[in-house]
Amino acid sequence: MTIEQLREQLRGLRLQRRMADARDLIRAQPGFESSPALQQLHHDHEDFWWQPMPGRRMTLRRRDEGDAAFVRACWADAGFMHKFNRVARPLPADDEALRGILARERAAIFGESKALHWTIDTRGGPAGFVSATDYTPGHRRCEFLIGVLNRPASPVPVEAAREAIAFLRDRAGVERLTAYIYADNGYATRLAVKFGFEREGVLRGYLREPDGSRSDLVVAGMLLGRRRAPGTPRAARRAARQMG
């Protein structure tokens, strides 16, 4: 079996949520014990990648086909998308096609798709998303993105971010996060401070708006693995000064 044939079989097993069978298949490959590539592939299929992460007020879980209606509601909310992702691709009109996209997204492994997407679940239902995208394994860095729908002054985004950041640091081995914040989104800037991000610069006129105007992006970064956890008061005060 070639590595591509193996990967194709593993994709099918992940879509069926048969992670234990996927790991058995990897271990059955010749040379498993001495192959770093197969060892890494086995690690990429451990259950923790798909397990929910419960907090006090919310639970993070991998986004999947069951979120299709909520995803569509978010994409249809112009105010939410203006703050969350102005360049997001349009969704397919067909609900079954959207469910298929979300099912494949949930079944993806970080090392191949370079992205992880979680839904923020609360007692009142889904509240938003957290995403880690553009993962670069060699440099152990990725982009961090969070969006919460209709939750003004809520502690949920901070809690969701802390859970996701802890996972990326402790489980995924990510060492650096970058956040790109729309310059007119002061709420997101304040939240980034609470998460532990520090301002690193501004990309002037980086985006072209539909009306022809150009918008700035604030670049904020966080180095993981520091002794002080993100979001502590001292870190937040320092970041607040830097982000103005």
PDB file of all heavy atoms in Angstrom, residues 6 22 42 54 98 103 115 162 178 220-221 235:
ATOM      1  N   LEU A   6      -2.889   4.757   1.701  1.00  0.00           N
ATOM      2  CA  LEU A   6      -3.129   4.730   3.141  1.00  0.00           C
ATOM      3  C   LEU A   6      -3.894   5.970   3.581  1.00  0.00           C
ATOM      4  O   LEU A   6      -4.878   5.872   4.335  1.00  0.00           O
ATOM      5  CB  LEU A   6      -1.800   4.634   3.894  1.00  0.00           C
ATOM      6  CG  LEU A   6      -1.875   4.744   5.419  1.00  0.00           C
ATOM      7  CD1 LEU A   6      -2.722   3.622   6.010  1.00  0.00           C
ATOM      8  CD2 LEU A   6      -0.467   4.748   6.025  1.00  0.00           C
ATOM      9  N   ALA A  22      -8.631   3.548  12.475  1.00  0.00           N
ATOM     10  CA  ALA A  22      -7.592   4.269  11.739  1.00  0.00           C
ATOM     11  C   ALA A  22      -6.225   4.035  12.376  1.00  0.00           C
ATOM     12  O   ALA A  22      -5.237   3.778  11.680  1.00  0.00           O
ATOM     13  CB  ALA A  22      -7.921   5.755  11.693  1.00  0.00           C
ATOM     14  N   HIS A  42      -0.014   8.372  13.266  1.00  0.00           N
ATOM     15  CA  HIS A  42      -0.738   7.747  14.372  1.00  0.00           C
ATOM     16  C   HIS A  42      -1.120   8.802  15.413  1.00  0.00           C
ATOM     17  O   HIS A  42      -2.260   8.832  15.913  1.00  0.00           O
ATOM     18  CB  HIS A  42       0.137   6.658  15.006  1.00  0.00           C
ATOM     19  CG  HIS A  42      -0.560   5.834  16.037  1.00  0.00           C
ATOM     20  ND1 HIS A  42      -0.652   6.221  17.357  1.00  0.00           N
ATOM     21  CD2 HIS A  42      -1.203   4.635  15.941  1.00  0.00           C
ATOM     22  CE1 HIS A  42      -1.313   5.299  18.038  1.00  0.00           C
ATOM     23  NE2 HIS A  42      -1.666   4.329  17.207  1.00  0.00           N
ATOM     24  N   PRO A  54     -14.807  20.975  27.556  1.00  0.00           N
ATOM     25  CA  PRO A  54     -15.802  21.687  28.367  1.00  0.00           C
ATOM     26  C   PRO A  54     -15.167  22.753  29.247  1.00  0.00           C
ATOM     27  O   PRO A  54     -14.072  22.574  29.788  1.00  0.00           O
ATOM     28  CB  PRO A  54     -16.412  20.565  29.221  1.00  0.00           C
ATOM     29  CG  PRO A  54     -15.314  19.547  29.335  1.00  0.00           C
ATOM     30  CD  PRO A  54     -14.539  19.621  28.056  1.00  0.00           C
ATOM     31  N   LEU A  98     -23.276  21.750   1.767  1.00  0.00           N
ATOM     32  CA  LEU A  98     -22.684  22.397   2.936  1.00  0.00           C
ATOM     33  C   LEU A  98     -22.399  21.373   4.028  1.00  0.00           C
ATOM     34  O   LEU A  98     -21.335  21.393   4.655  1.00  0.00           O
ATOM     35  CB  LEU A  98     -23.616  23.486   3.470  1.00  0.00           C
ATOM     36  CG  LEU A  98     -23.167  24.184   4.757  1.00  0.00           C
ATOM     37  CD1 LEU A  98     -21.783  24.810   4.591  1.00  0.00           C
ATOM     38  CD2 LEU A  98     -24.189  25.241   5.181  1.00  0.00           C
ATOM     39  N   ALA A 103     -18.616  18.084   7.168  1.00  0.00           N
ATOM     40  CA  ALA A 103     -18.215  16.729   7.580  1.00  0.00           C
ATOM     41  C   ALA A 103     -16.749  16.479   7.240  1.00  0.00           C
ATOM     42  O   ALA A 103     -15.988  15.924   8.047  1.00  0.00           O
ATOM     43  CB  ALA A 103     -19.107  15.691   6.909  1.00  0.00           C
ATOM     44  N   ALA A 115      -5.613  23.340   9.447  1.00  0.00           N
ATOM     45  CA  ALA A 115      -6.640  24.132  10.107  1.00  0.00           C
ATOM     46  C   ALA A 115      -7.440  23.260  11.075  1.00  0.00           C
ATOM     47  O   ALA A 115      -7.608  22.056  10.862  1.00  0.00           O
ATOM     48  CB  ALA A 115      -7.577  24.759   9.084  1.00  0.00           C
ATOM     49  N   ARG A 162      -9.322  30.864  25.632  1.00  0.00           N
ATOM     50  CA  ARG A 162      -8.343  30.258  26.536  1.00  0.00           C
ATOM     51  C   ARG A 162      -8.294  28.738  26.369  1.00  0.00           C
ATOM     52  O   ARG A 162      -7.214  28.139  26.387  1.00  0.00           O
ATOM     53  CB  ARG A 162      -8.669  30.631  27.986  1.00  0.00           C
ATOM     54  CG  ARG A 162      -8.309  32.069  28.315  1.00  0.00           C
ATOM     55  CD  ARG A 162      -8.751  32.453  29.710  1.00  0.00           C
ATOM     56  NE  ARG A 162      -8.306  33.811  30.032  1.00  0.00           N
ATOM     57  CZ  ARG A 162      -8.786  34.522  31.041  1.00  0.00           C
ATOM     58  NH1 ARG A 162      -9.717  34.028  31.826  1.00  0.00           N
ATOM     59  NH2 ARG A 162      -8.318  35.739  31.275  1.00  0.00           N
ATOM     60  N   THR A 178      -0.923  34.212  15.478  1.00  0.00           N
ATOM     61  CA  THR A 178      -1.075  35.547  14.897  1.00  0.00           C
ATOM     62  C   THR A 178      -2.558  35.825  14.724  1.00  0.00           C
ATOM     63  O   THR A 178      -3.308  34.958  14.259  1.00  0.00           O
ATOM     64  CB  THR A 178      -0.373  35.646  13.534  1.00  0.00           C
ATOM     65  OG1 THR A 178       1.009  35.329  13.693  1.00  0.00           O
ATOM     66  CG2 THR A 178      -0.505  37.046  12.959  1.00  0.00           C
ATOM     67  N   ALA A 220      -1.579  41.230  15.596  1.00  0.00           N
ATOM     68  CA  ALA A 220      -1.252  40.946  16.993  1.00  0.00           C
ATOM     69  C   ALA A 220      -0.695  39.533  17.082  1.00  0.00           C
ATOM     70  O   ALA A 220      -1.085  38.650  16.312  1.00  0.00           O
ATOM     71  CB  ALA A 220      -2.487  41.088  17.882  1.00  0.00           C
ATOM     72  N   GLY A 221       0.223  39.324  18.005  1.00  0.00           N
ATOM     73  CA  GLY A 221       0.854  38.015  18.121  1.00  0.00           C
ATOM     74  C   GLY A 221       0.939  37.548  19.559  1.00  0.00           C
ATOM     75  O   GLY A 221       0.851  38.346  20.503  1.00  0.00           O
ATOM     76  N   ALA A 235      -0.217  40.504  32.033  1.00  0.00           N
ATOM     77  CA  ALA A 235      -0.067  40.407  30.576  1.00  0.00           C
ATOM     78  C   ALA A 235      -1.083  41.285  29.877  1.00  0.00           C
ATOM     79  O   ALA A 235      -0.792  41.940  28.874  1.00  0.00           O
ATOM     80  CB  ALA A 235      -0.220  38.952  30.134  1.00  0.00           C
TER      81      ALA A 235
END
